[in-house]
Amino acid sequence: TQLLEQSPQFLSIQEGENLTVYCNSSSVFSSLQWYRQEPGEGPVLLVTVVTGGEVKKLKRLTFQFGDARKDSSLHITAAQPGDTGLYLCARGGYGQNFVFGPGTRLSVLP
Amino acid sequence: DAMVIQNPRYQVTQFGKPVTLSCSQTLNHNVMYWYQQKSSQAPKLLFHYYDKDFNNEADTPDNFQSRRPNTSFCFLDIRSPGLGDAAMYLCATSRVGKGDEKLFFGSGTQLSVL
């Protein structure tokens, strides 16, 4: 059973465009994390959201946690080639409770 | 800088030849994880250590074993690698007890099986 869903699975855009990717679950999260993984590297934590309705910004990235804490979105403004990578959402917890979504593979073309 | 270090970055082994991947951390985190990641897929948890307590995922093959001799080091042993075991292997750590666990990953070891 896929506990976390991410959409779209793949996204290819031109430099300067805006985009939004989504993470959804039928379960309530205690917290949710977004990671970015560049080719040949391990994932790197971008942000943790904990409170329903929370919005966090990291430069051109805006993360939103749904009011019901079942979904989240990541919006990138004016995408750059350096944003290319695999974006993973993960349900907070440790060990077997640390569940990753299948990821959105983003390609930003110059 | 505190970090998670994996060696080697690239490992080539032969079908059926045992291989060991290593991970060390300077974060003093109490939990260490091993993930397997195949191309275009999300990382899949194989097992984790909470201090010295070993926790195996139900669907992790017996071919995969792990050792954690101390807080800083953790090893992944693949006893008889098959072609299907070719993947990126990621080590991660976290500090449990703060109520907001986060994973810190190493750069991974890319395993090829010939």
Side-chain angles (χ1 to χ4, degrees), chain B residues 26-101:
Chain B
T26 60
L27 297 162
N28 202 33
H29 283 173
N30 50 1
V31 188
M32 295 187 76
Y33 311 77
W34 280 104
Y35 285 85
Q36 179 193 65
Q37 186 177 29
K38 296 189 175 180
S39 182
S40 299
Q41 296 182 18
K44 177 181 179 299
L45 182 63
L46 296 173
F47 25 59
H48 74 280
Y49 275 94
Y50 185 171
D51 293 326
K52 294 184 177 181
D53 293 334
F54 178 69
N55 298 271
N56 197 31
E57 292 300 294
D59 57 353
T60 298
D62 293 340
N63 198 24
F64 291 84
Q65 303 287 321
S66 185
R67 296 170 283 135
R68 189 180 186 186
N70 54 53
T71 300
S72 300
F73 287 87
C74 196
F75 300 97
L76 169 62
D77 301 308
I78 308 177
R79 293 191 297 187
S80 182
L83 298 179
D85 297 328
M88 170 78 91
Y89 289 88
L90 294 162
C91 174
T93 71
S94 70
R95 185 176 61 185
V96 171
K98 210 182 169 190
D100 182 22
E101 288 76 27

Side-chain angles (χ1 to χ4, degrees), chain A residues 2-6 21-25 27-36 43-50 63-65 69-74 86-104, chain B residues 33 35 42-45 92 100-105:
Chain A
Q2 184 67 48
L3 298 179
L4 285 173
E5 296 178 347
Q6 289 189 247
V21 299
Y22 301 92
C23 176
N24 297 283
S25 173
S27 305
V28 174
F29 301 110
S30 57
S31 66
L32 184 138
Q33 298 168 2
W34 283 94
Y35 292 80
R36 178 171 64 209
V44 175
L45 179 68
L46 295 174
V47 76
T48 300
V49 286
V50 179
F63 303 86
Q64 187 160 7
F65 201 15
R69 307 205 326 269
K70 291 184 176 182
D71 57 271
S72 180
S73 64
L74 159 59
L86 178 66
Y87 288 81
L88 296 159
C89 66
R91 189 180 72 186
Y94 88 95
Q96 62 266 43
N97 292 321
F98 233 118
V99 178
F100 281 95
T104 293
Chain B
Y33 311 77
Y35 285 85
K44 177 181 179 299
L45 182 63
D100 182 22
E101 288 76 27
K102 306 167 188 175
L103 291 177
F104 293 81
F105 283 88

Side-chain angles (χ1 to χ4, degrees), chain B residues 9 12 14 19 23 25-26 47 51 80 86 96 102 109:
Chain B
R9 286 296 304 270
V12 180
Q14 291 179 327
V19 65
C23 177
Q25 55 129 341
T26 60
F47 25 59
D51 293 326
S80 182
V96 171
K102 306 167 188 175
T109 294

